[in-house]
Amino acid sequence: MALSPSRRPPLAEEVTAKLRNMIHSGEWPLHQRIPSEPGLMTDLGVSRGTLREAIKALAHSGMLEVRRGDGTYVRATSEISGAARRMYQDHTEAHILEVRLGLDTQAARLAARNATPGDVAALRALLTDRTRAWNSEDYEGWARADWGFHERVAQASGNPLLHELYVSFGAAVHGDLLKQLRRPGFDGLQHEGHELLLAAIEQRNEDTAVATVNRNLNSCAEWLAA
C-alpha cells in the first residue's frame, strides 16, 4: 500500500506561526509596533497577500492590532491573553477584580512556595522602581512598575498557565491604577500586597502572602464601591 504524501500546511499558516513565535519569544514586545510590511515581506520571503492573511489571523485572535495609518501593534502575548482582553470589555471593574482576587491569591501562595532568589531580586527591583517613580511624580512609570511587580509574582508561582492568564489583565489593571490617582488622599506606595507580600515570599510563608494580597485587593474593592 503506497503511503500518501505528507501534507504541508498552507504558507499563510507557516507565516502565522512564525509571527506568533516572534511575539511569544518577546522579539516583538507587548504594546510595540511590529516591523513594516515591506521589511517583513523581505525577511520572510512571502507575498503581501500571504503576510496580510497571517497578520489578519493574529489580529482576529487578539494578539495584534492593526491601526490604520499607524501600523500594527502587539496587543497580547498569546491567543489566551488576546481573547481575555476582548472579554474584559464586556464586564465591570468589580467583576474583573473578583476574578483577579482568585488569581492573585493563588499566585502569592505558589510564589511563596516556588520563588527563586532571582525572582526575589527581580521583585525587589520592581518595588524600588515603583517607589522612585512615585516620588518623582512619574505616574505612568509608577503604574508600570506596580503592575510589573504583580505580574512577576505570577511568574514566580512556577505555573505558566496561571502566569499567562494573569498577564491578560495587564491593560485593565494599568488603567485602574491610573484612575486611582484621582482619589483624594490616594497613597501609591501601600505596603500591603507589595513589600509585605515580598517579605512573605522570601520567608516562604504562604498564609501570610495570601493574607496581604487579600487586604490589598479588598482595599481596591472598597475604592471601586465608593
Side-chain angles (χ1 to χ4, degrees):
M1 179 179 177
L3 295 176
S4 59
S6 59
R7 175 183 171 274
R8 182 176 179 176
L11 182 57
E13 290 185 13
E14 291 186 13
V15 176
T16 301
K18 289 180 180 178
L19 302 187
R20 184 186 295 113
N21 287 336
M22 291 176 184
I23 298 171
H24 279 316
S25 68
E27 182 176 346
W28 289 353
L30 193 63
H31 308 309
Q32 298 299 307
R33 185 167 52 191
I34 71 173
S36 66
E37 194 174 75
L40 286 174
M41 289 166 57
T42 300
D43 292 343
L44 298 171
V46 297
S47 68
R48 189 182 304 274
T50 297
L51 177 62
R52 287 185 173 179
E53 187 175 346
I55 289 176
K56 182 179 179 181
L58 293 178
H60 181 72
S61 73
M63 293 181 70
L64 293 176
E65 178 184 4
V66 179
R67 302 179 187 174
R68 190 176 300 277
D70 187 20
T72 300
Y73 289 76
V74 178
R75 290 189 64 224
T77 55
S78 70
E79 284 87 348
I80 290 177
S81 296
R85 285 172 62 95
R86 291 197 304 273
M87 289 174 60
Y88 297 153
Q89 297 173 6
D90 299 326
H91 297 281
T92 67
E93 292 173 331
H95 290 156
I96 293 172
L97 185 62
E98 287 168 358
V99 173
R100 185 186 161 198
L101 179 61
L103 291 177
D104 267 64
T105 51
Q106 185 64 359
R109 184 180 299 281
L110 291 175
R113 186 183 307 170
N114 299 321
T116 66
D119 291 324
V120 171
L123 289 167
R124 185 172 290 111
L126 285 163
L127 288 183
T128 298
D129 290 344
R130 173 177 175 261
T131 299
R132 183 186 302 115
W134 179 263
N135 289 334
S136 63
E137 299 184 357
D138 174 12
Y139 298 122
E140 281 285 350
W142 164 80
R144 284 194 302 271
D146 191 292
W147 166 249
F149 173 82
H150 294 295
E151 186 270 325
R152 196 64 172 78
V153 170
Q155 183 177 344
S157 73
N159 185 320
L161 179 57
L162 187 154
H163 179 229
E164 188 170 345
L165 289 170
Y166 198 86
V167 166
S168 70
F169 280 85
V173 174
H174 185 82
D176 284 345
L177 286 169
L178 293 177
K179 287 179 184 177
Q180 292 182 51
L181 292 172
R182 297 194 293 269
R183 185 177 65 180
F186 174 71
D187 177 13
L189 297 180
Q190 306 100 320
H191 292 298
E192 289 289 4
H194 299 90
E195 282 81 6
L196 296 181
L197 172 57
L198 178 55
I201 290 172
E202 276 195 281
Q203 295 162 11
R204 303 288 184 190
N205 191 324
E206 298 179 26
D207 290 340
T208 299
V210 169
T212 187
V213 165
N214 278 325
R215 288 192 292 268
N216 182 47
L217 292 183
N218 284 337
S219 174
C220 292
E222 291 173 3
W223 172 76
L224 286 176

Short mmCIF file of all heavy atoms in Angstrom, two decimals, residues 24 61-63 76-88 160-161 163-169:
data_model
loop_
_atom_site.label_atom_id
_atom_site.label_comp_id
_atom_site.label_asym_id
_atom_site.label_seq_id
_atom_site.Cartn_x
_atom_site.Cartn_y
_atom_site.Cartn_z
N HIS A 24 5.61 35.46 21.11
CA HIS A 24 5.82 34.62 22.30
C HIS A 24 7.21 34.83 22.88
O HIS A 24 7.39 34.89 24.10
CB HIS A 24 5.66 33.15 21.94
CG HIS A 24 4.24 32.68 21.88
ND1 HIS A 24 3.30 33.00 22.83
CD2 HIS A 24 3.60 31.89 20.98
CE1 HIS A 24 2.14 32.45 22.51
NE2 HIS A 24 2.29 31.78 21.40
N SER A 61 -7.27 36.89 16.55
CA SER A 61 -7.08 36.19 17.83
C SER A 61 -6.83 37.16 18.97
O SER A 61 -6.82 36.75 20.14
CB SER A 61 -5.90 35.21 17.72
OG SER A 61 -4.67 35.90 17.71
N GLY A 62 -6.59 38.43 18.64
CA GLY A 62 -6.36 39.43 19.68
C GLY A 62 -4.90 39.69 19.99
O GLY A 62 -4.59 40.52 20.84
N MET A 63 -3.99 39.01 19.29
CA MET A 63 -2.57 39.20 19.58
C MET A 63 -2.01 40.47 18.92
O MET A 63 -1.08 41.08 19.44
CB MET A 63 -1.76 37.98 19.13
CG MET A 63 -2.07 36.73 19.92
SD MET A 63 -1.08 35.31 19.38
CE MET A 63 0.54 35.78 19.97
N ALA A 76 -1.25 41.39 22.70
CA ALA A 76 -1.24 40.32 23.69
C ALA A 76 -0.17 39.32 23.30
O ALA A 76 0.20 39.21 22.13
CB ALA A 76 -2.61 39.63 23.77
N THR A 77 0.34 38.60 24.28
CA THR A 77 1.43 37.67 24.03
C THR A 77 0.97 36.27 23.67
O THR A 77 1.78 35.40 23.38
CB THR A 77 2.35 37.59 25.26
OG1 THR A 77 1.57 37.23 26.41
CG2 THR A 77 3.01 38.93 25.51
N SER A 78 -0.33 36.04 23.69
CA SER A 78 -0.87 34.73 23.33
C SER A 78 -2.33 34.87 22.95
O SER A 78 -2.96 35.90 23.21
CB SER A 78 -0.75 33.74 24.50
OG SER A 78 -1.65 34.11 25.54
N GLU A 79 -2.88 33.81 22.34
CA GLU A 79 -4.29 33.83 22.00
C GLU A 79 -5.16 33.90 23.25
O GLU A 79 -6.22 34.53 23.25
CB GLU A 79 -4.66 32.59 21.18
CG GLU A 79 -4.21 32.63 19.74
CD GLU A 79 -2.78 32.13 19.53
OE1 GLU A 79 -2.06 31.95 20.56
OE2 GLU A 79 -2.38 31.92 18.37
N ILE A 80 -4.71 33.26 24.32
CA ILE A 80 -5.48 33.29 25.57
C ILE A 80 -5.58 34.73 26.07
O ILE A 80 -6.65 35.22 26.43
CB ILE A 80 -4.82 32.41 26.65
CG1 ILE A 80 -4.99 30.92 26.28
CG2 ILE A 80 -5.42 32.67 28.02
CD1 ILE A 80 -4.32 29.99 27.25
N SER A 81 -4.44 35.42 26.10
CA SER A 81 -4.44 36.80 26.56
C SER A 81 -5.28 37.69 25.66
O SER A 81 -6.01 38.57 26.12
CB SER A 81 -3.00 37.34 26.61
OG SER A 81 -2.24 36.64 27.56
N GLY A 82 -5.18 37.46 24.35
CA GLY A 82 -5.96 38.26 23.41
C GLY A 82 -7.44 38.09 23.59
O GLY A 82 -8.21 39.06 23.60
N ALA A 83 -7.87 36.83 23.76
CA ALA A 83 -9.30 36.56 23.97
C ALA A 83 -9.78 37.17 25.29
O ALA A 83 -10.87 37.74 25.38
CB ALA A 83 -9.55 35.06 23.96
N ALA A 84 -8.94 37.06 26.32
CA ALA A 84 -9.32 37.60 27.62
C ALA A 84 -9.47 39.11 27.57
O ALA A 84 -10.40 39.68 28.15
CB ALA A 84 -8.28 37.21 28.67
N ARG A 85 -8.57 39.79 26.86
CA ARG A 85 -8.66 41.25 26.74
C ARG A 85 -9.98 41.67 26.12
O ARG A 85 -10.60 42.65 26.54
CB ARG A 85 -7.50 41.78 25.90
CG ARG A 85 -6.17 41.79 26.61
CD ARG A 85 -5.07 42.15 25.63
NE ARG A 85 -5.27 43.48 25.08
CZ ARG A 85 -4.71 44.57 25.56
NH1 ARG A 85 -3.91 44.51 26.61
NH2 ARG A 85 -4.91 45.74 25.00
N ARG A 86 -10.42 40.92 25.11
CA ARG A 86 -11.71 41.27 24.48
C ARG A 86 -12.86 41.02 25.44
O ARG A 86 -13.82 41.80 25.50
CB ARG A 86 -11.90 40.45 23.20
CG ARG A 86 -10.96 40.83 22.07
CD ARG A 86 -11.45 40.30 20.74
NE ARG A 86 -11.64 38.87 20.76
CZ ARG A 86 -10.68 37.98 20.49
NH1 ARG A 86 -9.46 38.40 20.20
NH2 ARG A 86 -10.92 36.69 20.52
N MET A 87 -12.77 39.94 26.21
CA MET A 87 -13.85 39.61 27.15
C MET A 87 -13.98 40.66 28.24
O MET A 87 -15.08 40.99 28.67
CB MET A 87 -13.58 38.24 27.79
CG MET A 87 -13.76 37.07 26.86
SD MET A 87 -13.26 35.51 27.65
CE MET A 87 -14.37 35.49 29.05
N TYR A 88 -12.84 41.21 28.70
CA TYR A 88 -12.89 42.17 29.79
C TYR A 88 -13.69 43.41 29.43
O TYR A 88 -14.24 44.08 30.30
CB TYR A 88 -11.48 42.58 30.20
CG TYR A 88 -10.64 41.44 30.75
CD1 TYR A 88 -9.26 41.47 30.66
CD2 TYR A 88 -11.24 40.33 31.33
CE1 TYR A 88 -8.50 40.42 31.15
CE2 TYR A 88 -10.50 39.29 31.81
CZ TYR A 88 -9.11 39.34 31.71
OH TYR A 88 -8.35 38.30 32.19
N PRO A 160 3.00 28.22 34.52
CA PRO A 160 2.97 29.06 33.32
C PRO A 160 1.57 29.41 32.84
O PRO A 160 1.36 30.48 32.26
CB PRO A 160 3.72 28.22 32.28
CG PRO A 160 3.67 26.82 32.79
CD PRO A 160 3.64 26.92 34.28
N LEU A 161 0.59 28.56 33.08
CA LEU A 161 -0.78 28.87 32.66
C LEU A 161 -1.35 29.98 33.52
O LEU A 161 -1.98 30.92 33.01
CB LEU A 161 -1.67 27.63 32.75
CG LEU A 161 -3.14 27.83 32.37
CD1 LEU A 161 -3.27 28.40 30.96
CD2 LEU A 161 -3.91 26.52 32.50
N HIS A 163 0.36 32.26 35.00
CA HIS A 163 1.07 33.47 34.58
C HIS A 163 0.47 34.03 33.30
O HIS A 163 0.25 35.24 33.18
CB HIS A 163 2.55 33.16 34.39
CG HIS A 163 3.36 34.33 33.94
ND1 HIS A 163 4.22 34.27 32.87
CD2 HIS A 163 3.40 35.61 34.39
CE1 HIS A 163 4.79 35.46 32.70
NE2 HIS A 163 4.32 36.29 33.60
N GLU A 164 0.19 33.16 32.34
CA GLU A 164 -0.37 33.63 31.06
C GLU A 164 -1.73 34.27 31.26
O GLU A 164 -2.04 35.31 30.67
CB GLU A 164 -0.46 32.46 30.09
CG GLU A 164 -0.83 32.87 28.68
CD GLU A 164 -0.68 31.74 27.67
OE1 GLU A 164 -0.03 30.73 28.00
OE2 GLU A 164 -1.22 31.87 26.57
N LEU A 165 -2.57 33.65 32.08
CA LEU A 165 -3.88 34.23 32.37
C LEU A 165 -3.72 35.58 33.08
O LEU A 165 -4.44 36.54 32.80
CB LEU A 165 -4.71 33.28 33.23
CG LEU A 165 -5.21 32.01 32.55
CD1 LEU A 165 -5.80 31.05 33.58
CD2 LEU A 165 -6.25 32.35 31.49
N TYR A 166 -2.77 35.65 33.99
CA TYR A 166 -2.58 36.87 34.76
C TYR A 166 -2.13 38.02 33.87
O TYR A 166 -2.58 39.16 34.02
CB TYR A 166 -1.57 36.64 35.87
CG TYR A 166 -1.65 37.69 36.95
CD1 TYR A 166 -2.55 37.55 38.00
CD2 TYR A 166 -0.86 38.82 36.91
CE1 TYR A 166 -2.65 38.53 38.98
CE2 TYR A 166 -0.95 39.80 37.88
CZ TYR A 166 -1.86 39.65 38.91
OH TYR A 166 -1.97 40.63 39.87
N VAL A 167 -1.24 37.71 32.94
CA VAL A 167 -0.74 38.76 32.04
C VAL A 167 -1.88 39.41 31.27
O VAL A 167 -1.84 40.60 30.95
CB VAL A 167 0.31 38.16 31.07
CG1 VAL A 167 0.61 39.10 29.91
CG2 VAL A 167 1.59 37.84 31.81
N SER A 168 -2.94 38.64 30.99
CA SER A 168 -4.06 39.17 30.22
C SER A 168 -4.78 40.31 30.94
O SER A 168 -5.52 41.07 30.33
CB SER A 168 -5.06 38.05 29.89
OG SER A 168 -5.75 37.62 31.04
N PHE A 169 -4.56 40.44 32.24
CA PHE A 169 -5.19 41.52 33.00
C PHE A 169 -4.44 42.84 32.87
O PHE A 169 -4.90 43.86 33.36
CB PHE A 169 -5.24 41.16 34.49
CG PHE A 169 -6.36 40.23 34.87
CD1 PHE A 169 -6.21 38.86 34.74
CD2 PHE A 169 -7.56 40.72 35.35
CE1 PHE A 169 -7.23 38.01 35.09
CE2 PHE A 169 -8.58 39.87 35.70
CZ PHE A 169 -8.42 38.51 35.57
#
